[in-house]
Amino acid sequence: MMTKKLIIIFFLIAVVFSLNSIAQNIQPIIVTVDKPKAEIKPEMWGIFFEDINFGADGGIYAEMIKNRSFEFAKPRTGWQVNLTSSDSSHFVIQNRGSLNQDNPRYVRISIKDGTRKNFISNSGFRGMGIKQNNKYNFSIMASLPDESNIKLRIELISQKGEKIGEALIPIKGKDWKKYEIGFVAKATDLKASLKISFEGTGVIDIDMVSLFPGDTWKGRPYGLRADIVQLLADLKPGFLRFPGGCIVEGYDLSLRYQWKKTIGNIEDRKTIINRWNTEFAHRLTPDYYQSFGLGFFEYFQLAEDIGAEPLPILNCGMACQFNSAEVVPLVQLDPYIQDAIDLIEFANGNADSKWGKIRAQMGHPAPFNMKMLGIGNEQWGPQYFERYNLFEKTIKAKYPNITLVSGSGPQPDDELFKFAVGELKKTNANIVDEHYYRPPVWFRDNAARYDNYDRNSYKIFAGEYAAQSVFTCSPDNKNNWDCALSEAAFMTGLERNADVVNMCSYAPLLAHVDGWQWTPDLIWFNNLTSYGSTNYYVQKLFSTNKGTHVLNMLQENKPLTGQQGLYATAAIDKQLNEIILKLVNTTPNTQVRSIVLQTSRKILPDALITILKNESLAGTNSIENPDAIKPVDSKIKLKGKNVILSLTPYSLTVVRIKVQ
Ligand code: AHR
């Protein structure tokens, strides 16, 4: 009688034979291992950061008080006032005017009856996420103009109205001073608020009211949310592009992003409206401003922390062409160009230089070693090139080694794009930013987009891409598996053409589940937790399995760009001596393929296979179920140079094979 063990062995042999025979009906895929086609730059897969969807304030920037310095257009935004008084002088917005143009407002509170319950409270960014046993650091600028005697009682209040944290700060004297106190929360709450009660009688002035969790990234005071930064770090990104996006451009030039106004003391960084505040009538976010607590120093520091090359994008003298389309006259462009020159000094100059000194004073004497700079975001038309050329001339004359990133407009194939390509070819453009917000099918159909691109011209930065499940800017777009899988198919084409496509990033990056304007987005979060979308895991599998060189991977002498719904790319990591295969099966059927590794080198038997898949193209991850679609690793044994792979329906498969 056959033992159970023998039956299993026979079964496995039968499976291998049948897989082999299925694979034999289709021409094998040949990977030429010993002749790498092109280098894959270390910065190939990176991050696009923009303060959209509460990405910075209310998101990665861990400040929990909304409108901390009362500078929103409606200065009471975020604040509830409960002060007992017989007249209206109890809560007055004071304006210092020219005495402090960057932070003119503060609040004067008169407590006339100290026996009553006098308090103000702040509701945070759609509430405050409070964690039990976590420390919270409260700070405030205050003065007592009449030298009265007032204490502040700070309380965290849960959604149910319970007190879940408390501290007391006595305020002294009429000089403005910063007061700080830390305290531990007693309970967890997703949408708590902060209450400040006034004990005593008299007048108190307050400004820069702030609350940060103690567990910020690297424990830095006034720092970033550790969970979100960790998700970024896990991508092992090659670069960090910041601060956007259209936010660079502004609705008009007065609201453009000006990096010099985002460095130095946080109380001196002028708060302005966030352009996404009013962008979409269907997603109005009237309480969305930019405090610039996350400013250019912090962006550089973040890039350094996560091992990414910093890539700042600067305004080129043009406001958003979807909005005001305001431009600065060419004769007045110099200050904009000077901003670029000064930024290079801020990032790279020594600590004795004018701008390098400020960087050093902010805590980073060593240069950030910035190598790339973007001029303009998504600009188009002759106005862009007139301005870009002036930037290029001045920057290259002073800093010839800085790689300049130029724009090509919002679409990858329209008349504006074609005009841009013609103009760019006349310049010395180094690398050109292309954007694609298209339906999933576009991504599958364009996997060969770069196969025939000009090899003797500029390089490509696929700077903003995301498949749109409904249409661009639809609030119903989902980060579903159809989109993610289609992006994976397209990305095989990006990697295959790494000699032309040097950098790539999904966009936008972050979204608060209760505060977003634009969907889809790579990472979603609420006030307590964050998760990677299905698209995030596609990005992660590509960026953490990128290799150092592309290999030819051909079936019947052609790259796999959608034949039988399959897409593929191969690379080798010369440092680790590993071949890395990526295969995307966009069909509902299992597909078996034989892959021949053409090499004189020995293939080691132990390989790692990682599969990201989902039965339904409609599948998504969510706050409630963040791990619904996640990569799963397993080990396989190889026998020689012929690898038989059974590709799961709707899957991205990554195989890492060791060579000697
Ligand atoms: O990613 C959202 C927006 O899309 C960016 O701000 C802009 O560059 C593009 O239009």
Side-chain angles (χ1 to χ4, degrees):
M1 221 171 91
M2 215 190 277
T3 64
K4 207 172 161 191
K5 209 170 165 187
L6 269 177
I7 295 173
I8 292 172
I9 290 171
F10 275 123
F11 174 74
L12 287 177
I13 291 171
V15 168
V16 170
F17 268 105
S18 66
L19 288 184
N20 258 315
S21 58
I22 298 167
Q24 274 158 16
N25 291 335
I26 296 176
Q27 287 293 305
I29 298 167
I30 312 290
V31 178
T32 316
V33 179
D34 297 344
K35 274 193 221 145
K37 227 168 64 147
E39 186 200 352
I40 300 173
K41 301 262 184 237
E43 55 272 15
M44 178 76 180
W45 305 107
I47 293 175
F48 161 96
F49 188 100
E50 176 162 22
D51 187 5
I52 183 172
N53 303 318
F54 280 7
D57 287 356
I60 198 169
Y61 181 53
E63 173 65 86
M64 301 171 99
I65 305 286
K66 185 168 69 187
N67 191 14
R68 64 184 172 193
S69 57
F70 311 99
E71 300 298 336
F72 286 19
K74 292 184 179 164
R76 285 192 183 206
T77 307
W79 293 97
Q80 290 81 49
V81 178
N82 191 338
L83 301 171
T84 52
S85 172
S86 50
D87 61 40
S88 60
S89 64
H90 57 303
F91 184 97
V92 179
I93 304 290
Q94 308 264 107
N95 194 316
R96 302 175 181 99
S98 57
L99 289 181
N100 187 345
Q101 283 177 341
D102 293 330
N103 182 8
R105 290 193 189 133
Y106 63 96
V107 170
R108 172 157 293 180
I109 293 167
S110 308
I111 309 296
K112 296 192 174 158
D113 181 353
T115 63
R116 303 273 191 95
K117 289 272 172 220
N118 291 296
F119 68 86
I120 58 174
S121 68
N122 189 280
S123 53
F125 298 88
R126 310 292 185 272
M128 298 175 186
I130 301 296
K131 286 180 251 167
Q132 188 175 23
N133 296 330
N134 200 26
K135 190 180 174 201
Y136 290 87
N137 297 318
F138 175 85
S139 65
I140 191 167
M141 301 284 299
S143 93
L144 299 175
D146 62 359
E147 304 207 45
S148 52
N149 194 3
I150 292 182
K151 285 186 187 132
L152 303 183
R153 184 168 296 280
I154 313 302
E155 291 167 303
L156 284 172
I157 306 294
S158 73
Q159 288 173 91
K160 286 189 194 149
E162 291 154 350
K163 185 165 68 184
I164 57 172
E166 187 177 24
L168 193 67
I169 309 185
I171 307 295
K172 297 220 179 323
K174 64 177 177 195
D175 293 335
W176 278 100
K177 267 187 275 183
K178 183 173 182 178
Y179 298 83
E180 295 175 279
I181 192 160
F183 58 98
V184 173
K186 286 190 283 190
T188 295
D189 200 87
L190 180 65
K191 295 189 177 195
S193 58
L194 183 92
K195 180 171 164 187
I196 306 174
S197 309
F198 302 90
E199 297 184 2
T201 305
V203 177
I204 179 167
D205 292 339
I206 60 167
D207 200 357
M208 293 300 292
V209 188
S210 172
L211 183 73
F212 274 82
D215 61 347
T216 53
W217 172 252
K218 289 185 181 281
R220 288 197 186 112
Y222 308 97
L224 305 182
R225 248 178 81 164
D227 59 325
I228 300 180
V229 179
Q230 191 59 56
L231 280 167
L232 301 185
D234 291 346
L235 290 170
K236 301 209 184 323
F239 64 90
L240 174 70
R241 164 182 165 171
F242 58 87
C246 292
I247 202 118
V248 171
E249 307 163 18
Y251 183 91
D252 60 26
L253 285 171
S254 74
L255 295 173
R256 71 189 189 276
Y257 198 103
Q258 299 186 58
W259 74 267
K260 287 176 181 167
K261 298 190 174 185
T262 74
I263 57 169
N265 296 331
I266 52 174
E267 55 271 28
D268 300 330
R269 303 183 192 179
K270 190 174 171 58
T271 296
I272 61 171
I273 195 168
N274 185 305
R275 52 147 294 134
W276 297 105
N277 180 315
T278 48
E279 184 69 17
F280 298 125
H282 57 274
R283 295 293 302 177
L284 284 178
T285 322
D287 56 341
Y288 197 5
Y289 280 68
Q290 299 179 83
S291 72
F292 298 111
L294 169 58
F296 258 42
F297 177 86
E298 291 79 14
Y299 280 122
F300 277 113
Q301 196 175 40
L302 172 63
E304 184 174 78
D305 286 351
I306 60 179
E309 291 292 340
L311 168 53
I313 306 286
L314 293 185
N315 186 294
C316 64
M318 299 177 75
C320 182
Q321 289 164 281
F322 289 114
N323 297 155
S324 71
E326 194 176 51
V327 296
V328 71
L330 290 178
V331 289
Q332 291 172 24
L333 192 62
D334 280 359
Y336 291 73
I337 299 178
Q338 192 59 44
D339 275 356
I341 298 290
D342 292 343
L343 179 65
I344 299 171
E345 187 176 288
F346 177 73
N348 297 350
N350 64 43
D352 299 333
S353 61
K354 177 177 170 199
W355 292 99
K357 191 171 178 181
I358 299 175
R359 181 197 68 236
Q361 283 162 350
M362 291 184 75
H364 203 286
F368 282 118
N369 199 14
M370 172 183 113
K371 301 185 185 82
M372 301 176 282
L373 180 60
I375 306 302
N377 171 46
E378 202 177 55
Q379 269 59 59
W380 63 79
Q383 305 94 312
Y384 175 56
F385 294 98
E386 285 161 2
R387 285 162 185 76
Y388 173 81
N389 289 334
L390 294 173
F391 271 87
E392 185 186 277
K393 199 167 151 221
T394 312
I395 297 171
K396 285 288 183 180
K398 187 151 191 201
Y399 296 107
N401 294 330
I402 289 284
T403 298
L404 289 186
V405 175
S406 355
S408 62
Q411 306 293 342
D413 47 16
D414 64 356
E415 288 308 312
L416 296 173
F417 177 80
K418 287 179 197 150
F419 172 78
V421 170
E423 290 301 304
L424 286 161
K425 294 220 163 159
K426 291 184 215 156
T427 69
N428 295 318
N430 298 133
I431 180 159
V432 173
D433 183 12
E434 296 188 354
H435 294 180
Y436 343 84
Y437 294 100
R438 293 292 171 102
V441 65
W442 184 92
F443 284 85
R444 299 195 296 273
D445 289 350
N446 280 273
R449 176 180 171 91
Y450 295 106
D451 289 359
N452 299 313
Y453 247 56
D454 186 352
R455 261 55 192 173
N456 299 311
S457 187
Y458 51 74
K459 305 293 181 193
I460 299 298
F461 170 28
E464 294 185 30
Y465 58 85
Q468 312 287 301
S469 64
V470 184
F471 56 83
T472 314
C473 299
S474 164
D476 298 322
N477 285 330
K478 297 278 180 288
N479 282 99
N480 66 29
W481 183 229
D482 188 19
C483 291
L485 194 63
S486 304
E487 287 153 12
F490 181 68
M491 288 163 71
T492 61
L494 300 180
E495 183 183 284
R496 185 175 53 253
N497 290 287
D499 56 329
V500 171
V501 183
N502 284 181
M503 292 160 65
C504 318
S505 46
Y506 183 98
L509 179 68
L510 299 177
H512 190 300
V513 294
D514 297 326
W516 57 271
Q517 300 82 46
W518 180 298
T519 176
D521 303 287
L522 201 63
I523 293 169
W524 290 80
F525 56 89
N526 63 17
N527 296 332
L528 287 173
T529 58
S530 46
Y531 73 90
S533 62
T534 55
N535 317 67
Y536 172 87
Y537 288 107
V538 166
Q539 294 299 314
K540 188 173 170 188
L541 282 182
F542 273 77
S543 62
T544 56
N545 292 287
K546 74 173 171 285
T548 56
H549 294 80
V550 195
L551 302 177
N552 260 319
M553 182 181 200
L554 304 173
Q555 187 179 30
E556 297 182 45
N557 265 324
K558 291 191 203 100
L560 281 105
T561 56
Q563 301 93 311
Q564 294 96 36
L566 284 194
Y567 301 79
T569 176
I572 185 161
D573 189 315
K574 286 196 180 177
Q575 266 111 51
L576 298 175
N577 283 321
E578 289 186 37
I579 299 167
I580 306 166
L581 310 175
K582 300 184 190 77
L583 298 105
V584 181
N585 179 5
T586 59
T587 73
N589 311 312
T590 300
Q591 300 215 45
V592 180
R593 289 293 180 277
S594 162
I595 297 168
V596 177
L597 304 173
Q598 277 186 350
T599 176
S600 56
R601 301 170 73 178
K602 187 175 172 204
I603 303 290
L604 301 183
D606 291 317
L608 180 70
I609 184 160
T610 306
I611 300 177
L612 182 62
K613 61 174 176 137
N614 199 52
E615 279 173 21
S616 158
L617 290 174
T620 58
N621 290 341
S622 62
I623 282 278
E624 297 74 31
N625 195 357
D627 297 335
I629 304 176
K630 242 186 148 171
V632 176
D633 290 340
S634 56
K635 288 182 178 154
I636 50 169
K637 284 268 179 218
L638 303 180
K639 286 193 193 127
K641 297 177 182 174
N642 192 2
V643 182
I644 307 290
L645 285 180
S646 170
L647 304 168
T648 313
Y650 300 141
S651 65
L652 162 61
T653 300
V654 180
V655 190
R656 296 191 73 114
I657 300 165
K658 288 194 174 13
V659 279
Q660 235 172 22

